[in-house]
Amino acid sequence: MTPIDFLSAGLVLAGAGFFFAGTVGMLRFPDVYSRLHALTKGDNAGLGLTVLGLALQAESLAVVGKLVMVWLLVLLAGATASHLIARSSLRRGIDPWTAR
Amino acid sequence: MNVLLLGVATFLLFNLAAGLWRVMRGPTAADRMLAAQLFGTTAVAVLLLLAEGMEEAELRDIALVFALLAAVAAVAFVRRVWSPGARHDAD
């Protein structure tokens, strides 16, 4: 294994760690808003690290471009979705959770 | 190396299965949609890992379509079903 392979493996594993944290957060956090936080963490950082790790092993520049495009699309989707969901939750009168 | 990629893909699949609990539990429609959103992203990651691990370049295109659909699904959900002013019962 070359150093690039080690780096790539580490990045992919770190990405999987973020996805795991996102799932745990979604299962354990108390309300919609904090779950959104966990979700977007998994989306952005998890997929970003995975893409970075895979891009290091990509055969051609075209593959790297495609990987980056997938990530940008998911970033856009995650940002839009979390904003819309949080806004309509607020308008529906769901109060953010506060420690008691 | 490929074993690692396939292993991580399997791990993400198990994550996805655990996340199904949130879909079942709710409590609001938004929570279920959140879980669906996370599934979309996880599926994209799994597809990308499989594309590299199994050397099937086509899976990358499928991941691209999944990423696109995830955006459309979430926006459609909020605009048509979840937002207070949605007109889904009028038409």
Side-chain angles (χ1 to χ4, degrees), chain B:
Chain B
M1 198 61 219
N2 289 349
V3 176
L4 175 89
L5 293 180
L6 296 181
V8 171
T10 317
F11 170 71
L12 289 181
L13 268 182
F14 279 118
N15 262 342
L16 223 151
L20 279 173
W21 185 81
R22 177 54 72 195
V23 177
M24 196 182 74
R25 182 94 193 288
T28 65
D31 293 301
R32 298 198 172 93
M33 194 62 216
L34 279 187
Q37 189 75 18
L38 185 64
F39 292 172
T41 316
T42 313
V44 167
V46 169
L47 284 169
L48 291 178
L49 288 167
L50 288 182
E52 190 70 38
M54 292 165 55
E55 277 148 29
E56 305 253 14
E58 302 83 13
L59 288 177
R60 267 184 216 109
D61 299 326
I62 303 176
L64 204 55
V65 174
F66 262 56
L68 207 60
L69 282 178
V72 177
V75 173
F77 164 75
V78 170
R79 297 297 299 167
R80 307 285 300 180
V81 182
W82 174 250
S83 90
R87 285 166 294 140
H88 64 282
D89 40 24
D91 46 35

